[in-house]
Amino acid sequence: MLQKFHLKRSISLPINSGTFLILAAVLALLVANSPWSDAYNALWQHEIVFRIGNFNFFNHGGHPLTLMSFINDALMTIFFFVVGLEIKREILVGELSSIKKALLPIVAACGGMIFPVLIYYFITRGTPAEVGLAIPMATDIAFSLGVLSLFGNRVPLSLKVFLTAFAVVDDIGGIFVIALFYTSHLDVTYILYSFMVLFFLLMCNVMKVRNKWAYILPGIIMWYCFMQCGIHATISGVVVAFAIPAVPRVKIGSYISHIHESVDKIPEPDSECIILSHSQIHALNKIKSASDKAISTLQSLEDSLSSFVSNFIMPLFAFANAGVVLTASHGGMEIGQITWAVMLGLIFGKFIGIYLFTWLVVKLGFASLGKGMTWKNLTGICMLGGIGFTVSLFIANLSFGNEVHLLNEAKMGVLFGTVIAGFLGYAILDRTLSKDNSKYSCN
């Protein structure tokens, strides 16, 4: 039951955010190429201050965060925190919970990360653009599942699960890349502070502390320590997520028994009375208390934050980062070597890597295609893997944050690559999926 609930939830939530992301990205492009472009660019340079005496909490190395930095370094930490919660859930009870389940999407994701990087490297090697190797390796789960949702019940559950699982593994790869290759100078003092906070979080977990604030407040402190120590601040979100308890205080069987007992104790209400008695209120409060204990801290935080991340943080990030000026100073479009490297990596690298590695692991007998998956409809899913929007833009900012010209080229590659991969993936799936809408209905 838990696993079925998890699958429906993880597949349905990102679909709405995909629409918001598209609208935000289109709006950013329109504004950035309109008479309001100067005001748009100036907006992100406003300083964000949270001052206590002479101490500004929102600072990096003593310098106040700009609105752009606040979005990319603070709000995106919440995004990566939710990603971390989803990854932990997948490892515990989802599609990464066993070798048998996880092998196919893990191998597919590895291929989908290796080939785009190789294509990007061969195009940009020996140039300043080479530092953006990781840009085309990501898959945007919101966009890709959003495209898949357009087919409704024509899509086998196995395809949705496969896409979700390898996109999650992609996220893990992206997190490691950010942690290892986008780390500046290291401040040992703040690293030690971070370890102290992590130790506190782990002790809370061991002592079965389930209060959310026992993890949120230390998590905020850890974010500040990461900001100052040189490791990219968003990684703190993932670290804190893995310290969140995933086991509820009350097992589901005990909870159901408790509910039955409480319901039986509620006196039959007067049909004309709309005011509950004290005994009825007491029984209902006991049910509410038991319900809170039956939901783990991990699932509770994920449920609380998912809508905020999907409907606010990700669209805001898209609006702030997708506003690339389409025309360069020479009058043409802002397209260069990086643009082609990112585009080809997303469109061809992701497709070839995911499909080839999936084919190899199946043909070697280590795994098999799920029910309803065919080599034909799998081509469409592999193409959707080239939708790299959110994390690709994020890594582009880390790679070329101080080089506006190179950053704009990278953004153009991400935008064009995402749109083309999404269109081709949709076209392939439309031709290969069954036209029988009820065939894969979950009802």
Side-chain angles (χ1 to χ4, degrees), residues 393-427:
L393 283 178
F394 187 79
I395 295 177
N397 275 284
L398 296 181
S399 303
F400 306 116
N402 297 322
E403 301 288 341
V404 177
H405 174 67
L406 298 181
L407 178 58
N408 283 340
E409 286 189 13
K411 286 182 178 181
M412 291 290 281
V414 172
L415 294 174
F416 286 149
T418 292
V419 170
I420 294 171
F423 177 80
L424 291 176
Y426 177 88

Side-chain angles (χ1 to χ4, degrees), residues 189-418:
T189 301
Y190 279 105
I191 291 177
L192 291 175
Y193 290 156
S194 300
F195 273 111
M196 291 171 62
V197 175
L198 178 60
F199 178 76
F200 174 82
L201 292 172
L202 294 176
M203 288 303 298
C204 286
N205 200 324
V206 171
M207 296 171 65
K208 299 183 179 180
V209 176
R210 296 297 182 262
N211 188 294
K212 296 177 187 178
W213 291 103
Y215 298 91
I216 293 174
L217 294 177
I220 294 172
I221 296 172
M222 180 176 283
W223 170 82
Y224 179 81
C225 292
F226 270 57
M227 280 290 293
Q228 310 308 320
C229 76
I231 302 174
H232 199 273
T234 53
I235 301 302
S236 65
V238 182
V239 174
V240 174
F242 272 78
I244 301 297
V247 179
R249 282 180 283 179
V250 176
K251 293 184 178 179
I252 192 68
S254 300
Y255 165 70
I256 293 173
S257 299
H258 184 81
I259 291 295
H260 283 305
E261 293 176 6
S262 299
V263 170
D264 291 338
K265 291 179 182 179
I266 298 178
E268 190 69 28
D270 183 347
S271 59
E272 299 298 325
C273 181
I274 61 172
I275 303 299
L276 299 177
S277 67
H278 289 295
S279 59
Q280 291 169 339
I281 293 173
H282 179 69
L284 291 174
N285 283 332
K286 287 182 66 177
I287 293 174
K288 181 179 181 298
S289 176
S291 299
D292 291 338
K293 294 176 181 177
I295 302 173
S296 69
T297 309
L298 184 147
Q299 281 190 300
S300 178
L301 282 169
E302 186 182 353
D303 188 64
S304 301
L305 292 173
S306 288
S307 294
F308 177 65
V309 169
S310 300
N311 300 326
F312 177 73
I313 292 179
M314 292 175 68
L316 180 61
F317 171 83
F319 182 66
N321 290 275
V324 57
V325 178
L326 298 178
T327 55
S329 57
H330 52 70
M333 297 190 76
E334 191 77 83
I335 294 176
Q337 185 183 45
I338 301 175
T339 308
W340 291 107
V342 173
M343 280 180 59
L344 294 176
L346 288 174
I347 298 169
F348 295 104
K350 295 292 288 186
F351 174 80
I352 294 170
I354 296 170
Y355 193 92
L356 177 61
F357 275 48
T358 301
W359 183 84
L360 285 173
V361 77
V362 170
K363 291 302 179 182
L364 291 173
F366 295 116
S368 59
L369 297 180
K371 182 180 179 182
M373 290 178 68
T374 66
W375 291 111
K376 289 184 178 180
N377 61 34
L378 185 64
T379 59
I381 297 297
C382 295
M383 186 58 71
L384 290 185
I387 299 176
F389 189 75
T390 305
V391 179
S392 289
L393 283 178
F394 187 79
I395 295 177
N397 275 284
L398 296 181
S399 303
F400 306 116
N402 297 322
E403 301 288 341
V404 177
H405 174 67
L406 298 181
L407 178 58
N408 283 340
E409 286 189 13
K411 286 182 178 181
M412 291 290 281
V414 172
L415 294 174
F416 286 149
T418 292

